Amino acid sequence: MNENQLLLPGSQSEAGFWIETSRHRDWLMNEAKRQLTFFSASCRDEPGFHTLGHDGSPLPGKLQELHTTTRLIHSYALGHLSGFKGAERIIDHGMTFLESHHRDRDHGGYLWALDGDQIKDDRKLAYGHVFVLLASASAKLAGHPDADKLMTDVRSVLEKHFWDEEAGLFRDEWNRDWTPFSTYRGMNANMHGVEAMLAAFEATGDEIYLFRAGRILDFFIGKIAPSENWRLPEHYSSDWQINRDYAGDPMFRPSGTTPGHSFELGRLQLQHWDLSGRTDPNALDRARRLIAQALNDAWLPGGGLAYTLDFDGRVANASRFWWPITEAIGAVAALIALDRRPEDEEWYRKLWTYANETFVDHQHGGWFPAVDGAGAVVTSIFDGKPDIYHSLQACLFPLSGRLSRMIPLEKPEYSDKPQTPFS
């Protein structure tokens, strides 16, 4: 047996569902620990985090965006909850940087980007602020002593500046002093708002989070998706009409639809249904339609998922990035947990096999951000290995055996004392 065979996430000959086998579950946990070990090198000796190259060495520059800080807090909180020793150091480092650098002492809220100690981008974005809420909820679940203070602060900012009670959705962006920046409205910030509010509900039990997450889901999956053949347009006007002519940043606000976001929203719909007592008779069917449409539209010849689609489902940008695969894995794993069907297992094995053969870096750890049609690593818009958040969740969510977040029956004790990384 060669090395690659030893590293396969499961055996294609095994009957049943991979997530029920010890071989696959052991593989998932080992891969999660390899990622947590690799990204532990992100922590600077000074405030902030490094971006890591493919080999794990720090890249030059000190630019740090809000979603990077908060996703590292969230990811290592999940690592702490799964027993990874040393996660506390990353959580503490991120929480300190949020307070010392991202938090705007003059106007309130959180600044989007810092370059060392200098403000690089002072916009106030809903996308960034909902990730602050996610970080605070995850840190609270991990037992961090400053989590409640952070959650109280970001909740008040979201309430005052971003939440549109009439629409039941988040507004997107402001200048630093909270003067209007644009009338843009988007799905992405709202989707991650659902993610953050479900986490906040689990951390606090406050049902306002569950209720508001449901309102966002009702708009996008209950209203928009059925009228768009189960595809989700990304961009909207200030009165929440689809803006089909929007042409923003082609990589970070691409036109058309983004199937990776359909996977995320589908999984979040299932999570919300689970946390709400599974009372909505239509939630499971809506989530399945959304996930299935994205898989069928976006799966490319030779493997991989297209980055974007036209409104009718034709491939617009065939770039193969790592994160849509991870979100598809999480979505299909959620379906298997609730409504297992043979076709779900077929997709689950296909997705993991492709990810393992192309994106997982078996030499250094972490995942490569982009590959070509032949599965070879390519240079992309992403520097180095930019993110642990997506790929870590792809490993941990199937292991949890539930649709809510990975919360063990007995939480590991939180300590701010230095610990040895996983051994």
Side-chain angles (χ1 to χ4, degrees):
M1 181 176 291
N2 64 36
E3 182 181 16
N4 286 335
Q5 287 175 312
L6 287 170
L7 291 169
L8 281 173
S11 170
Q12 295 290 356
S13 63
E14 285 179 296
F17 293 84
W18 271 4
I19 59 174
E20 295 177 340
T21 68
S22 59
R23 174 185 172 90
H24 181 62
R25 296 178 69 81
D26 289 347
W27 188 92
L28 289 173
M29 183 55 74
N30 184 63
E31 173 56 24
K33 290 171 179 174
R34 289 179 72 247
Q35 292 182 48
L36 289 161
T37 299
F38 178 88
F39 280 96
S40 292
S42 301
C43 206
R44 292 182 181 272
D45 293 334
E46 58 194 47
F49 293 100
H50 297 290
T51 298
L52 301 180
H54 286 179
D55 63 356
S57 60
L59 296 178
K62 295 183 179 181
L63 180 66
Q64 188 165 332
E65 294 173 329
L66 185 56
H67 72 299
T68 300
T69 308
T70 50
R71 285 178 173 185
L72 279 165
I73 295 169
H74 163 71
S75 296
Y76 280 86
L78 290 182
H80 173 77
L81 291 169
S82 64
F84 181 80
K85 293 182 175 62
E88 297 91 336
R89 180 173 67 98
I90 312 295
I91 302 169
D92 290 342
H93 206 68
M95 294 288 282
T96 299
F97 196 77
L98 273 181
E99 173 65 24
S100 65
H101 286 69
H102 284 294
R103 192 168 76 83
D104 185 349
R105 286 172 171 75
D106 295 327
H107 300 285
Y110 294 82
L111 303 165
W112 176 247
L114 289 303
D115 190 348
D117 293 330
Q118 302 300 311
I119 297 173
K120 182 71 173 179
D121 186 337
D122 64 4
R123 289 176 298 162
K124 304 291 175 59
L125 305 179
Y127 182 84
H129 282 74
V130 296
F131 271 116
V132 176
L133 180 61
L134 178 65
S136 69
S138 301
K140 181 176 177 64
L141 289 168
H144 194 280
D146 296 330
D148 284 326
K149 177 183 175 183
L150 178 63
M151 183 178 286
T152 298
D153 184 60
V154 72
R155 175 173 175 166
S156 68
V157 175
L158 288 167
E159 290 267 4
K160 183 176 181 180
H161 297 291
F162 292 105
W163 181 252
D164 181 344
E165 177 61 25
E166 182 178 355
L169 296 158
F170 284 112
R171 306 178 185 94
D172 266 80
E173 50 196 9
W174 301 90
N175 288 312
R176 181 182 181 183
D177 62 359
W178 302 109
T179 54
F181 177 77
S182 78
T183 59
Y184 173 82
R185 303 288 185 267
M187 185 184 72
N188 198 10
N190 279 277
M191 177 188 72
H192 286 294
V194 172
E195 174 189 25
M197 289 192 289
L198 294 183
F201 170 71
E202 291 202 60
T204 66
D206 189 338
E207 293 195 354
I208 190 64
Y209 292 118
L210 193 64
F211 176 70
R212 288 182 174 175
R215 292 188 70 185
I216 295 173
L217 290 166
D218 286 344
F219 177 78
F220 286 108
I221 303 183
K223 177 182 177 181
I224 298 297
S227 67
E228 295 292 316
N229 294 315
W230 298 99
R231 303 180 183 101
L232 288 171
E234 290 281 326
H235 311 295
Y236 297 80
S237 61
S238 59
D239 60 353
W240 287 102
Q241 300 301 306
I242 297 170
N243 185 349
R244 299 184 191 275
D245 298 323
Y246 183 86
D249 187 303
M251 295 311 302
F252 297 105
R253 281 189 181 174
S255 60
T257 72
T258 307
H261 289 162
S262 289
F263 301 134
E264 290 186 77
L265 266 177
R267 177 178 59 78
L268 292 168
Q269 172 75 86
L270 293 171
Q271 184 183 359
H272 181 270
W273 184 57
D274 186 40
L275 291 172
S276 301
R278 305 187 181 186
T279 56
D280 183 349
N282 299 311
L284 178 58
D285 179 66
R286 288 197 299 262
R288 179 172 286 284
R289 284 173 178 265
L290 192 66
I291 294 165
Q293 189 66 60
L295 286 169
N296 292 329
D297 284 342
W299 188 255
L300 295 166
L305 292 162
Y307 179 45
T308 66
L309 309 169
D310 291 337
F311 294 107
D312 60 3
R314 293 177 299 184
V315 173
N317 184 335
S319 297
R320 293 167 167 86
F321 296 126
W322 86 110
W323 72 264
I325 289 284
T326 68
E327 295 301 337
I329 288 169
V332 174
L335 286 174
I336 291 172
L338 275 179
D339 183 38
R340 55 187 59 188
R341 299 180 184 181
E343 58 266 33
D344 298 332
E345 180 65 9
E346 291 175 13
W347 272 114
Y348 186 78
R349 295 188 183 199
K350 180 188 294 188
L351 291 162
W352 259 126
T353 299
Y354 182 80
N356 182 62
E357 292 174 350
T358 58
F359 289 111
V360 177
D361 184 346
H362 296 293
Q363 179 180 0
H364 297 110
W367 289 36
F368 298 111
V371 299
D372 63 17
V377 177
V378 296
T379 301
S380 74
I381 58 169
F382 299 100
D383 293 327
K385 290 174 179 167
D387 194 281
I388 185 177
Y389 157 83
H390 289 287
S391 52
L392 180 68
Q393 292 184 155
C395 294
L396 293 182
F397 285 173
L399 280 174
S400 69
R402 53 192 289 181
L403 296 184
S404 49
R405 289 153 53 83
M406 184 175 169
I407 308 172
L409 295 177
E410 295 183 5
K411 297 180 184 178
E413 182 179 355
Y414 191 91
S415 172
D416 57 4
K417 297 177 181 179
Q419 297 188 37
T420 303
F422 172 76
S423 58

